[in-house]
Amino acid sequence: MTTRKRQSNPQSRQSDARPRRSPLRRILAWILALVFAVIALPYLLIPLYALPQLHPVSTLMLSEIVTGRSYERQWVDFDQIAPVLVQSVMMSEDGQYCAHSGVDWEALNLVIDDALEGEATRGASTIPMQTAKNLFLPSTRSVLRKALEIPLAMAMDLVWSKRRLMEIYLNIAEWAPGVYGVEAAAQAYFGVPAAKLSRRQAALLAVTLPNPIKRNAANPSRNMTRLAGVIEKRASQSGAYIKCLYD
């Protein structure tokens, strides 16, 4: 009785010899893909947010929704915001707003030099950088967050007009706990629409921005009142600095 030798399939041997991914490698691949998607998503949203009919929300507003807390925000177009408020915010937060392309490199380099020398550092975040943080990034301070802010700010400044960028910033900034956007802030603090803010009210709102949790524009401290006076004076002399918004 003859026995036949079972012929082996070369393709079968090759598939059996092919190394299989370990579960750990598959998990790491999924994590890397997720990280890439999270980093890439803002760059896909930036062109969409250039459309004036879209009203973006900030990461803080999203966290309010997720945790079930209520918040106030009434979107207003740029032309419905008092120019004195825009001037005050610019002179308080980013005096070179019309001159840079999203990042004030001179101010940033000074901060880096101070940090390397062990000196106390001051903020160098421009309005585009703050908008990038508010729209897409967590509010916790870190070197990684700052590194992500910079290219996002440059991309927004490239894709959006200066007016659109300022409009979005003023409509997503936090002005008090649970109060977002300049319209809700003007109503909450002074009982007037954003279009009717006075110079002093605008200056007080501007100096509230760096710390909206502790600063109250309707009940300013002595230091806030002093700062508001400085900002009010700068805003009245800001004509050359705001041409990109009102030309």
Side-chain angles (χ1 to χ4, degrees):
M1 183 176 179
T2 60
T3 58
R4 290 184 181 177
K5 289 185 178 180
R6 188 176 180 182
Q7 294 182 350
S8 59
N9 188 336
Q11 291 183 351
S12 177
R13 284 204 307 269
Q14 288 177 7
S15 65
D16 291 342
R18 190 180 299 151
R20 294 183 178 180
R21 280 188 178 182
S22 67
L24 179 59
R25 289 183 65 183
R26 285 199 299 269
I27 292 171
L28 288 175
W30 276 106
I31 291 173
L32 288 174
L34 179 61
V35 170
F36 177 79
V38 169
I39 293 174
L41 180 61
Y43 294 94
L44 299 177
L45 291 174
I46 286 172
L48 289 178
Y49 288 166
L51 300 173
Q53 62 267 34
L54 293 184
H55 300 163
V57 296
S58 69
T59 52
L60 284 176
M61 282 187 263
L62 288 174
S63 70
E64 303 273 22
I65 295 170
V66 169
T67 55
R69 297 193 299 265
S70 62
Y71 69 88
E72 296 178 50
R73 201 276 288 268
Q74 298 168 262
W75 184 277
V76 284
D77 294 337
F78 183 81
D79 290 332
Q80 296 175 306
I81 301 171
V84 291
L85 185 279
V86 178
Q87 293 164 353
S88 297
V89 169
M90 269 190 60
M91 301 317 293
S92 176
E93 297 289 296
D94 187 1
Q96 298 301 313
Y97 178 74
C98 286
H100 62 63
S101 298
V103 180
D104 187 341
W105 293 107
E106 184 177 349
L108 189 60
N109 288 333
L110 288 174
V111 170
I112 293 171
D113 289 342
D114 288 345
L116 292 175
E117 293 172 5
E119 299 180 10
T121 59
R122 55 185 176 80
S125 288
T126 60
I127 284 174
M129 291 169 70
Q130 293 179 53
T131 306
K133 178 200 72 176
N134 290 341
L135 274 181
F136 304 120
L137 302 172
S139 57
T140 53
R141 290 187 177 184
S142 68
V143 175
L144 175 60
R145 194 204 75 189
K146 189 63 66 177
L148 294 172
E149 267 181 33
I150 290 173
L152 283 170
M154 295 175 70
M156 290 189 302
D157 193 87
L158 178 66
V159 175
W160 301 344
S161 68
K162 290 286 188 179
R163 285 169 64 93
R164 176 61 173 168
L165 208 161
M166 181 66 77
E167 179 184 73
I168 290 177
Y169 174 68
L170 294 176
N171 275 287
I172 65 172
E174 185 180 24
W175 303 79
V179 178
Y180 299 90
V182 65
E183 180 67 19
Q187 296 283 359
Y189 281 127
F190 304 116
V192 299
K196 300 294 184 181
L197 287 165
S198 68
R199 285 195 174 276
R200 176 45 60 101
Q201 290 169 342
L204 286 169
L205 282 174
V207 300
T208 299
L209 276 173
N211 195 344
I213 305 302
K214 293 185 178 180
R215 295 183 180 182
N216 186 322
N219 185 24
S221 64
R222 183 178 299 177
N223 187 50
M224 275 187 69
T225 302
R226 180 185 63 81
L227 288 173
V230 173
I231 295 304
E232 189 175 351
K233 184 176 180 180
R234 289 180 182 175
S236 67
Q237 301 170 347
S238 64
Y241 293 91
I242 61 170
K243 288 186 176 180
C244 65
L245 295 169
Y246 292 104
D247 263 2

